[in-house]
Amino acid sequence: MTAPERPSQGPASPPASTATSTPAAASTATSPPGANGEPTKATGLVRSLTPRQTTMIGLGSALGTGLFLGSGSAISAAGPAVIVSYAIGAVLVAVIAVLLGEMSAAHPVQGSFGAVAHTYLGPWAGFVTRWMYWFSAVVVIGTEVVASALYIRWWWPGVPMSAAILAVAAVVLAVNVINVKSFGTTEFWLSTIKVTALCAFILCAAFLVFFGLPDTGATGFAHLTDDGGFMPEGAKSVWIAMSVVMFAYAGFEVVAIASAEATDPQRSIRTAMRQLAWRLSVFYVLAITLVVALIPWRRLAAGDGSVEASPFVRVFSDIGVPAAATLTNVVVLIAAVSAANAHLYGASRLLHSLGDDGLAPAPLARLTSRGVPANALAASTLGIAAAALLAFYDIGGIFGILMSIALFAVLLVWLLILASYIAFRRHRDTHPEDFTGFSVPGGGKLAVVAGVGVLAVAATAVEVPDMRQAAGIGLAFTAVLLGCYALTSVRRARRT
C-alpha cells in the first residue's frame, strides 16, 4: 500500500490548480462550490445538486426492479426467513454507506471512491475500482433499459423491442446531457414517485395484515410460520439468500459520486448517506415482511418474474385495486427508468475522472460548456447498445456472463471502498488537523466487520451456481484490468 499524499480538507480548502501532473494530485484536488452554479475550478464540473436531490439520486439507483420484481427468488431460497437476510443486508449496506459518506465528505472530488482508493491504496486500486464500477454500471443501465422496454411492450405488444429501447434510451440520455441540474431535478421526481408508491403499498399491506377487509379477515403473521416454520429451508438458507438480497441494495454509491457536483458537499453527503441508510432499511425490510405475512411464501416463490407474478401485484390484487398489474407496471417502469438514469450519471462521472487522470482516452475528460462530460456519457451508453443487440438476437448466454461480471464487480468495489476507508481513517486519526467534518465513531472497526460481511456474501459461491460463475468470470476480468493498468503504466513511463 502506498503512502497517501496529504489529503485536502474538502470543500473548505483552497482550489487546487488544474495543471496537475499526476493522477494522485488530480484525485485529491478539491475546490469550493462555484458561485451561482459555476463550474468548480479544479474539475469544471458544476456544483448544483441540492441535499434533497442527492438523497433521491441514491434512492433512485438502489430502489429498482430488484425490489419490485426480483424479491421472489430470494423468498424462494429462504422462505419467511428472507426477512432476516434483508435485515442483515440493510445493516451491512448502512455501515458501508455511512463510512463512504465520511470519506466522500472529506474528499468531495471527481472520481469519488475511485479517486480516494487511488490516493490511499495506490494507482492500481483507483484504476480497478473505477473501471470495475463503470463496467457494472454500464451493464445495469442496459438491463434497466431493456426491462423498461419490456414493460412498455406489456401495454403495446406490437411495438418493436428495438424501438422501445431507443425511446427509453433517448429519454435517459436527454436528461443527462442537458446539465447536472436537469438530471438532479428529474431524478428527484422519479424517485419521489417510487418512494410514494412504496409507502402506499406499505400502508395498504399493513392495513390488510392488521385489519383486513369487510369480506376478508386480517391475515396477521400466521403465514410466517404455518408452512414449514419461519426457516423452512434451515438457517443456512438465510446466508444463501444473501447472494440475491445484497444486489438489490447496490446503487447507493452514486451518492458519493455526486459529491463532486453537490452545492454543499459535506452537508449533502452526510445527510444523504444517513437518510439513505435508514430509508433503504425500512423500505426493504418492512415491505418484504408485509408481503410474506400476506401471501404464503411458496406462492411467492412460484412467481416467474413477470408483472403479474410480482409480490406487489399480488398484494394489490388482494386489496381489490382494479387493474393491479397495470398500476404496478407503471411503478416498475418508473423504477427502471430512474435506475438507468442514476447509473448513467454515475458511470459517466467515473469514466470522466479516468480520462482526466490519464487512465482512459483523453477525449473522455472533455466537458461541455454546461459542465457535462458528453464523451464519457456517450461511451457509457454502450451498455444500452449491447443490451439492445443481445435482446434483439436473444443471446441469453452472453448476457448472463455480463451480469455475472457486474455482480462480482459490486462486491469487489465494496471491498475496495472499505479497504480505502481503513487506510483513510488511519491517516485521519494521525493527522486530524488535515480534516474537517463528521467522523464515524469506531469507523475502522466497523469497516473490518463490514468487509467480513461482504466476503461472507461472496462465499455463497460455494453453494450458489450463479455466484460461482460470477466469481470465476469476475476474477478473470479483474486480472484483465490489472494487465491493462500495467500496460498503461508502462506507456506513461515511456512518455515521461
Side-chain angles (χ1 to χ4, degrees), residues 23 46 81 119 144 157 160 165 186 219 263 283 306 313 342 377 389 429 462 496:
V46 178
T119 301
E144 294 289 0
I165 289 175
T186 303
T219 61
T263 54
F283 288 151
S306 65
V313 172
L377 196 64
L389 288 174
D429 290 343
V462 176
T496 57

Side-chain angles (χ1 to χ4, degrees), residues 322-345:
T326 298
L327 178 61
T328 303
N329 200 51
V330 171
V331 175
V332 296
L333 174 59
I334 292 173
V337 172
S338 172
N341 192 41
H343 281 287
L344 181 58
Y345 167 82

Side-chain angles (χ1 to χ4, degrees), residues 200-345:
F201 164 80
I202 289 173
L203 290 175
C204 292
F207 187 86
L208 283 177
V209 169
F210 293 105
F211 302 104
L213 296 173
D215 56 346
T216 305
T219 61
F221 294 97
H223 287 322
L224 299 183
T225 57
D226 63 3
D227 187 3
F230 183 70
M231 292 185 179
E233 304 296 334
K236 185 178 180 181
S237 64
V238 173
W239 170 58
I240 293 176
M242 295 295 293
S243 63
V244 177
V245 168
M246 289 310 300
F247 299 115
Y249 285 106
F252 67 89
E253 309 88 355
V254 177
V255 173
I257 297 173
S259 64
E261 294 173 274
T263 54
D264 183 354
Q266 287 195 333
R267 175 170 170 258
S268 295
I269 298 305
R270 180 177 64 251
T271 302
M273 284 301 191
R274 287 178 177 175
Q275 291 188 1
L276 188 64
W278 74 259
R279 286 183 182 182
L280 284 178
S281 301
V282 171
F283 288 151
Y284 275 87
V285 176
L286 190 54
I288 293 298
T289 299
L290 292 171
V291 164
V292 179
L294 282 171
I295 304 172
W297 72 271
R298 293 191 190 277
R299 282 181 55 197
L300 295 171
D304 60 3
S306 65
V307 172
E308 293 86 348
S310 165
F312 291 81
V313 172
R314 292 181 183 275
V315 171
F316 281 133
S317 299
D318 288 351
I319 295 172
V321 175
T326 298
L327 178 61
T328 303
N329 200 51
V330 171
V331 175
V332 296
L333 174 59
I334 292 173
V337 172
S338 172
N341 192 41
H343 281 287
L344 181 58
Y345 167 82

Side-chain angles (χ1 to χ4, degrees), residues 121-479:
L121 298 181
W124 69 270
F127 183 89
V128 171
T129 301
R130 282 180 280 185
W131 273 114
M132 188 68 80
Y133 186 87
W134 178 82
F135 185 86
S136 66
V138 164
V139 173
V140 172
I141 293 165
T143 58
E144 294 289 0
V145 169
V146 169
S148 300
L150 291 173
Y151 302 147
I152 291 174
R153 281 166 53 87
W154 186 80
W155 284 308
W156 301 290
V159 175
M161 187 70 177
S162 57
I165 289 175
L166 288 175
V168 176
V171 171
V172 173
L173 187 58
V175 168
N176 275 270
V177 81
I178 297 174
N179 54 47
V180 70
K181 186 176 182 180
S182 168
F183 160 76
T185 300
T186 303
E187 189 59 32
F188 174 83
W189 288 111
L190 289 175
S191 296
T192 297
I193 293 173
K194 282 197 297 188
V195 171
T196 301
L198 191 54
C199 289
F201 164 80
I202 289 173
L203 290 175
C204 292
F207 187 86
L208 283 177
V209 169
F210 293 105
F211 302 104
L213 296 173
D215 56 346
T216 305
T219 61
F221 294 97
H223 287 322
L224 299 183
T225 57
D226 63 3
D227 187 3
F230 183 70
M231 292 185 179
E233 304 296 334
K236 185 178 180 181
S237 64
V238 173
W239 170 58
I240 293 176
M242 295 295 293
S243 63
V244 177
V245 168
M246 289 310 300
F247 299 115
Y249 285 106
F252 67 89
E253 309 88 355
V254 177
V255 173
I257 297 173
S259 64
E261 294 173 274
T263 54
D264 183 354
Q266 287 195 333
R267 175 170 170 258
S268 295
I269 298 305
R270 180 177 64 251
T271 302
M273 284 301 191
R274 287 178 177 175
Q275 291 188 1
L276 188 64
W278 74 259
R279 286 183 182 182
L280 284 178
S281 301
V282 171
F283 288 151
Y284 275 87
V285 176
L286 190 54
I288 293 298
T289 299
L290 292 171
V291 164
V292 179
L294 282 171
I295 304 172
W297 72 271
R298 293 191 190 277
R299 282 181 55 197
L300 295 171
D304 60 3
S306 65
V307 172
E308 293 86 348
S310 165
F312 291 81
V313 172
R314 292 181 183 275
V315 171
F316 281 133
S317 299
D318 288 351
I319 295 172
V321 175
T326 298
L327 178 61
T328 303
N329 200 51
V330 171
V331 175
V332 296
L333 174 59
I334 292 173
V337 172
S338 172
N341 192 41
H343 281 287
L344 181 58
Y345 167 82
S348 65
R349 266 48 181 187
L350 284 192
L351 191 57
H352 163 259
S353 74
L354 283 164
D356 200 50
D357 285 353
L359 299 174
L364 295 173
R366 295 174 186 168
L367 298 172
T368 66
S369 59
R370 297 183 298 273
V372 176
N375 292 337
L377 196 64
S380 298
T381 61
L382 288 175
I384 299 176
L389 288 174
L390 293 174
F392 183 79
Y393 290 106
D394 194 24
I395 309 177
I398 296 178
F399 200 78
I401 292 174
L402 294 178
M403 279 306 301
S404 294
I405 299 175
L407 297 181
F408 177 86
V410 171
L411 293 180
L412 180 58
V413 168
W414 286 351
L415 286 174
L416 287 171
I417 287 174
L418 293 170
S420 300
Y421 179 85
I422 292 173
F424 155 80
R425 189 56 183 259
R426 286 174 180 171
H427 190 83
R428 181 167 191 160
D429 290 343
T430 55
H431 301 281
E433 70 280 0
D434 289 343
F435 300 91
T436 59
F438 76 102
S439 177
V440 178
K445 294 179 180 178
L446 287 174
V448 173
V449 173
V452 172
V454 173
L455 289 173
V457 175
T460 57
V462 176
E463 297 285 342
V464 182
D466 287 345
M467 281 296 294
R468 191 154 49 247
Q469 181 188 41
I473 297 175
L475 288 172
F477 184 69
T478 303

